[in-house]
């Protein structure tokens, strides 16, 4: 009843992690213990179970083994001081091939052979190694994912900063354009005022000519600045084109390196597979030798049985002859009985000698089996070391690739900084143009003041210069033409500024595409890493399965050989 209640508890409970049930005799009732094992099978939260000294026999051990094949949470099981025996030990060993979570299994004081205990320890060590490898791989995957996320965040931040700077530059340019338009309107108004005043002034024309000469010089300087800006734009475009070509070449080199790495990894996998095939061949040869030895042992036992049957038949024949001659030859019968007894003793001695020889042969065969086991274990250790070396090499290669990618990201950031520096230079040029415009406005104010001073002089000399008004009108028309030319030049400057903004937009789009391409390459590298780790884990599981199959075959041969059964019976 208590075992059944505990089974129900284990089926429904999800909070108990450790359960101690020592000295409770749960194994005395098979039905109750089977119900307890069913509850353990359905529970996936218990981690430690203590069943010491509960009178569990080999049947109870089989029930426990069936439960452990489906349980995925139990890590420690204590079965000391029970009565599990050979069959129970085999059942628990077989269940460990499917259970990958059990790390500790105590079987002291259960009459379990030493070979089975060693095999159980090896399986538990394999489970511990597997869990450690899985935890390491999970930690590496988490670290890589965090690094990738941090890199993505940094890239997004850099891109957003770049976009913000571009937007700020656009806003500043719009403001400068508005200010320049306002200043141009102010200059236009001043020019209109000058045109109204020029009808009565002569000296004003001379000052206007000087102003026109200065404006022509400024136009020339502005043209030179425009040419310099064009050259700088061409140089920047050539630099960006070269950088794109370099990036394309680097991408091609990277693809070639990745292909070379993949070919090297495939060659290593082929070498490992060849080594595994050689190990399988050696195991097959050893199995054939063991099979031949088993056949020799069966032939010798058959010969011994036939000789024993023949001896029994001879005895029966001699007994019949003695019975027929009892009445006539009692004295002869005594002698013949003595002779037959001597012969039987001699035959028994010879049989004992042959049995001792066969036992010596069996001992030598056991030693050879142990040697084969040791050789298989050494080969397995070598294979595991080779796998560890291959994995470390793969990790080093992956670290080198990540460093290479980081260097490329650094180069990209440097190129972005250079682009920002170019933008700053362009800002400085715009600021210089604004300063020059301010100087022009100040100069226009000075001209206004001078015109006011000249108005007084012109009032005095109006009578003399009526005849020169026509000439002044023609010159004013020419000045108006020059001013319109300056307006057209300013419009051209605006168009060039718009073209520069378009080029900046194209460059930003190219940078975005390059960043997206690099993110795609990083994702491809991560997928290749995952594929390689999956292949390594699969190869390791195959090797462990083969080793377990070999061990089970050797144990089955040692325990199921007819020589062992004959010696145990005797």
């Amino acid at each position: 009843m208590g075992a059944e209640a505990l089974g129900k508890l284990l089926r429904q409970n999800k909070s108990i992690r450790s359960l101690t049930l020592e000295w409770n005799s749960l194994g005395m009732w098979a039905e109750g213990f089977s119900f307890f094992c069913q509850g353990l099978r359905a529970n996936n939260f218990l981690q430690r179970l203590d069943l010491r000294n509960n009178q569990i026999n080999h049947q109870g051990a089989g029930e426990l083994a069936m439960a452990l094949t489906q349980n995925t949470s139990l890590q420690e099981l204590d079965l000391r001081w029970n009565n599990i025996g050979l069959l129970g030990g085999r059942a628990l060993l077989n269940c460990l091939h499917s259970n990958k979570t059990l790390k500790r299994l105590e079987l002291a004081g259960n009459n379990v052979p030493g070979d089975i205990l060693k095999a159980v320890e090896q399986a538990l060590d394999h489970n511990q190694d597997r869990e450690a490898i899985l935890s390491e791989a999970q930690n590496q995957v988490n670290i890589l994912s965090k690094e990738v996320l941090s890199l993505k965040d940094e890239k997004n931040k850099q891109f957003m900063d770049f976009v913000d700077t571009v937007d700020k530059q656009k806003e500043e340019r719009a403001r400068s354009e508005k200010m320049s338009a306002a200043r141009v309107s102010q200059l236009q108004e001043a020019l209109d005022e000058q045109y109204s005043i020029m009808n009565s002034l002569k000296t004003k024309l001379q000052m206007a000519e000087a102003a026109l000469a200065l404006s022509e010089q400024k136009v020339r300087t502005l043209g030179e600045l425009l040419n310099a800006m064009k050259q700088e734009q061409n140089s920047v475009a050539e630099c960006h084109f070269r950088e794109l070509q370099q990036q394309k070449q680097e991408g091609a080199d990277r693809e070639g390196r990745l292909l070379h790495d993949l070919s090297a990894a495939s060659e290593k996998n082929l070498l490992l597979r060849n080594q595994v095939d050689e190990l399988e061949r050696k195991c097959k040869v050893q199995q054939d030798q063991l099979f031949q030895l088993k056949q020799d042992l069966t032939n010798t036992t058959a010969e011994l049985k036939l000789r024993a049957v023949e001896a029994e038949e001879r005895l029966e024949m001699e007994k019949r002859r003695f019975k027929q001659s009892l009445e006539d030859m009692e004295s002869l019968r005594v002698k013949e009985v003595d002779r037959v007894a001597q012969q039987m003793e001699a035959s028994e001695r010879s049989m004992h000698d042959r049995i001792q020889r066969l036992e010596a042969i069996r001992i030598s065969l056991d030693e050879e089996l142990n040697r084969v086991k040791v050789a298989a274990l050494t080969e397995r250790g070598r294979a595991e070391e080779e796998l560890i070396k291959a994995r470390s090499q793969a990790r080093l290669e992956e670290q080198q690739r990540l460093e290479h990618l980081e260097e490329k990201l650094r180069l990209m950031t440097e190129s972005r900084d250079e682009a920002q520096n170019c933008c700053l230079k362009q800002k400085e040029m715009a600021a210089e143009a604004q300063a020059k415009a301010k100087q022009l406005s100040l100069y226009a104010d000075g001209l206004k003041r001078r015109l006011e001073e000249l108005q007084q002089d012109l009032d005095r000399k109006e009578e003399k210069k009526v005849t020169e008004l026509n000439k002044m009108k023609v010159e004013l028309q020419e000045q108006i033409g020059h001013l319109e030319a300056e307006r057209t030049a300013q419009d051209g400057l605006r168009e060039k500024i718009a073209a520069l903004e378009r080029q900046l937009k194209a460059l930003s789009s190219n940078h975005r595409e390059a960043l997206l391409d690099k993110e795609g390459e990083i994702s491809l590298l991560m997928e290749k890493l995952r594929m390689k780790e999956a292949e390594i884990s699969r190869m390791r599981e195959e090797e462990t399965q083969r080793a377990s199959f070999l061990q089970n075959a050797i144990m089955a041969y040692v325990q199921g050989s007819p020589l062992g059964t004959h010696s145990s019976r005797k």
Side-chain angles (χ1 to χ4, degrees):
M1 296 289 285
E4 290 179 359
L6 288 170
K8 291 179 182 178
L9 173 67
L10 289 175
R11 280 186 180 179
Q12 297 178 0
N13 189 279
K14 295 182 180 179
S15 60
I16 294 175
R17 297 292 183 271
S18 178
L19 184 60
T20 303
L21 297 173
E22 59 180 348
W23 295 91
N24 281 298
S25 301
L26 293 175
M28 290 180 66
W29 295 278
E31 293 179 357
F33 192 73
S34 66
F35 200 84
F36 175 80
C37 291
Q38 289 176 4
L40 180 63
R41 183 187 303 173
N43 191 336
N44 287 321
F45 298 92
L46 189 65
Q47 295 179 358
R48 185 179 178 278
L49 181 60
D50 190 351
L51 294 175
R52 287 179 291 177
N53 202 351
N54 274 282
Q55 297 182 11
I56 299 170
N57 55 11
H58 65 279
Q59 293 179 356
E63 293 288 337
L64 273 174
M66 291 294 290
L68 290 173
T69 53
Q70 296 183 3
N71 192 326
T72 58
S73 63
L74 194 64
Q75 296 180 0
E76 295 182 6
L77 180 60
D78 196 347
L79 295 174
R80 288 179 291 180
W81 308 110
N82 286 297
N83 194 12
I84 292 172
L86 177 62
L87 297 175
R90 285 182 184 174
L92 292 171
L93 179 61
N94 291 325
C95 80
L96 289 176
H97 296 304
S98 59
N99 190 335
K100 302 297 182 182
T101 58
L102 193 63
K103 296 180 183 178
R104 184 179 176 186
L105 180 60
E106 298 290 341
L107 294 174
N110 282 286
N111 296 322
V112 179
D115 295 332
I116 292 173
L117 290 174
K118 288 180 180 179
V120 168
E121 289 178 358
Q122 289 177 0
L124 294 172
D125 293 335
H126 177 67
N127 287 338
Q128 292 177 358
D129 294 336
R130 178 177 176 275
E131 188 173 357
I133 290 164
L134 288 173
S135 63
E136 288 178 359
Q138 188 66 31
N139 291 327
Q140 289 178 359
V141 169
N142 292 326
I143 291 165
L144 289 172
S145 64
K146 288 179 181 178
E147 289 179 355
V148 169
L149 290 171
S150 64
L151 288 171
K152 286 182 178 178
D153 293 333
E154 288 178 358
K155 288 178 183 178
N156 291 323
K157 288 179 181 178
Q158 292 174 359
F159 182 72
M160 292 301 290
D161 293 333
F162 184 72
V163 171
D164 293 333
T165 54
V166 170
D167 292 333
K168 288 178 182 179
Q169 289 175 3
K170 288 180 180 179
E171 290 177 357
E172 289 177 357
R173 285 176 185 172
R175 289 175 184 173
S176 64
E177 287 177 356
K178 289 179 181 179
M179 292 293 289
S180 63
R183 287 173 184 174
V184 167
S185 63
Q186 289 176 2
L187 289 170
Q188 186 65 35
E189 291 175 357
L191 287 170
D192 292 333
E193 290 176 356
Q194 288 177 4
Y195 182 75
S196 63
I197 293 167
M198 281 296 173
N199 293 321
S200 61
L201 295 173
K202 179 180 176 182
T203 57
K204 196 172 186 180
L205 291 171
Q206 294 175 359
M207 296 297 292
E209 287 177 356
L212 287 170
L214 291 170
S215 64
E216 286 177 357
Q217 289 179 1
K218 289 177 181 179
V219 167
R220 289 175 185 175
T221 55
L222 289 171
E224 291 176 358
L225 289 171
L226 286 171
N227 292 321
M229 288 291 290
K230 287 180 180 178
Q231 291 178 0
E232 287 180 357
Q233 287 177 0
N234 292 322
S235 63
V236 170
E238 288 177 357
C239 290
H240 285 296
F241 183 70
R242 289 174 185 173
E243 287 178 358
L244 288 171
Q245 287 182 351
Q246 289 179 0
Q247 288 177 2
K248 287 180 181 178
Q249 289 178 1
E250 288 177 357
D253 295 333
R254 191 186 304 150
E255 288 179 357
R257 289 174 184 173
L258 289 172
L259 291 170
H260 181 68
D261 294 333
L262 288 171
S263 62
S266 62
E267 289 177 358
K268 288 179 182 179
N269 289 324
L270 290 171
L271 289 171
L272 290 171
R273 287 178 182 173
N274 292 323
Q275 290 178 2
V276 171
D277 293 331
E278 288 178 359
L279 291 171
E280 288 180 351
R281 289 174 185 172
K282 289 180 181 179
C283 293
K284 286 181 181 178
V285 170
Q286 290 175 1
Q287 287 178 359
D288 294 332
Q289 291 178 0
L290 291 171
F291 184 70
Q292 289 178 0
L293 291 171
K294 190 174 181 180
Q295 286 182 351
D296 294 334
L297 288 170
T298 53
N299 291 324
T300 53
T301 52
E303 288 178 359
L304 289 171
K305 287 179 182 179
L306 289 171
R307 288 180 183 177
V309 171
E310 289 177 356
E312 288 178 357
E313 289 178 354
R314 287 177 184 175
L315 286 171
E316 288 178 358
M317 293 295 290
E318 288 176 357
K319 284 179 182 179
R320 289 175 185 174
R321 290 176 184 176
F322 288 134
K323 285 180 182 178
Q324 290 178 1
S325 60
L326 278 173
E327 294 177 355
D328 298 329
M329 301 174 71
E330 289 180 355
S331 61
L332 293 172
R333 182 176 63 77
V334 173
K335 293 178 181 180
E336 288 177 357
V337 168
D338 293 332
R339 184 173 59 79
V340 170
Q342 290 176 0
Q343 288 179 358
M344 287 293 292
E345 288 176 357
S347 64
E348 285 178 357
R349 288 174 184 173
S350 64
M351 289 290 286
H352 284 297
D353 293 333
R354 295 186 87 177
I355 287 165
Q356 290 176 358
R357 290 174 186 174
L358 289 171
E359 286 179 353
I361 291 165
R362 182 180 64 78
I363 291 165
S364 65
L365 289 171
D366 290 332
E367 291 176 354
E368 288 179 357
L369 285 171
N370 292 321
R371 290 173 186 173
V372 169
K373 287 179 181 178
V374 172
L377 290 170
T378 55
E379 288 176 354
R380 181 183 175 187
R382 289 175 184 173
E384 288 178 352
E385 290 176 355
E386 289 176 355
L387 283 171
I388 291 164
K389 288 179 181 178
R391 189 172 180 183
S392 64
Q393 289 178 359
R395 287 178 181 173
L396 291 171
E397 290 175 356
E398 288 169 359
Q399 289 178 359
Q400 290 176 359
R401 289 174 187 169
L402 288 171
E403 290 175 355
H404 186 64
L405 289 171
E406 288 176 354
E407 289 178 356
K408 288 184 178 178
L409 286 171
R410 184 174 58 77
L411 292 172
M412 287 295 293
T413 53
E414 288 176 356
S415 65
R416 182 178 60 78
D417 294 331
E418 289 177 357
Q420 288 179 356
N421 291 323
C422 291
C423 292
L424 291 171
K425 288 179 181 178
Q426 290 177 0
K427 285 182 181 178
E428 289 174 357
M429 294 293 289
E432 289 176 358
Q434 289 177 1
K436 289 178 180 179
K438 287 180 181 178
Q439 290 176 0
L440 288 171
S441 64
L442 293 171
Y443 186 72
D445 294 330
L447 289 172
K448 287 180 182 178
R449 290 174 185 175
R450 288 178 183 177
L451 287 170
E452 289 175 357
E453 291 175 356
L454 290 169
Q455 281 178 2
Q456 295 175 1
D457 296 328
L458 288 170
D459 292 330
R460 295 173 184 175
K461 297 178 180 180
E462 284 179 354
E463 295 175 354
K464 294 179 181 180
K465 295 180 180 179
V466 173
T467 58
E468 295 177 358
L469 285 173
N470 294 320
K471 294 179 181 180
M472 293 298 293
K473 287 180 181 179
V474 173
E475 289 176 356
L476 285 170
Q477 288 177 357
E478 290 177 355
Q479 288 177 0
I480 288 163
H482 287 298
L483 290 170
E484 287 177 355
E486 287 179 357
R487 282 184 187 176
T488 54
Q490 287 178 359
D491 293 329
L493 287 171
R494 289 178 185 175
E495 290 178 354
K496 288 176 181 178
I497 290 165
L500 287 171
E501 288 179 353
R502 291 173 186 172
Q503 288 180 0
L504 285 172
K505 288 180 181 178
L507 289 171
S508 64
S509 64
N510 290 324
H511 283 299
R512 288 177 185 174
E513 290 176 356
L515 289 170
L516 291 172
D517 292 332
K518 287 185 178 180
E519 288 178 354
E521 289 176 357
I522 290 166
S523 63
L524 288 172
L525 289 171
M526 290 297 292
E527 289 178 357
K528 288 178 182 178
L529 285 172
R530 290 174 184 171
M531 293 292 288
K532 285 184 180 180
E533 287 179 354
E535 287 179 358
I536 290 166
S537 63
R538 181 175 59 77
M539 290 175 69
R540 188 160 186 179
E541 288 177 357
E542 289 176 357
E543 287 181 356
T544 53
Q545 288 178 359
R546 288 173 183 168
S548 63
F549 289 155
L550 281 172
Q551 191 173 3
N552 290 326
I554 292 165
M555 293 299 295
Y557 172 75
V558 172
Q559 294 175 0
S561 62
L563 183 64
T565 55
H566 182 72
S567 63
S568 64
R569 287 176 185 174
K570 191 163 181 181

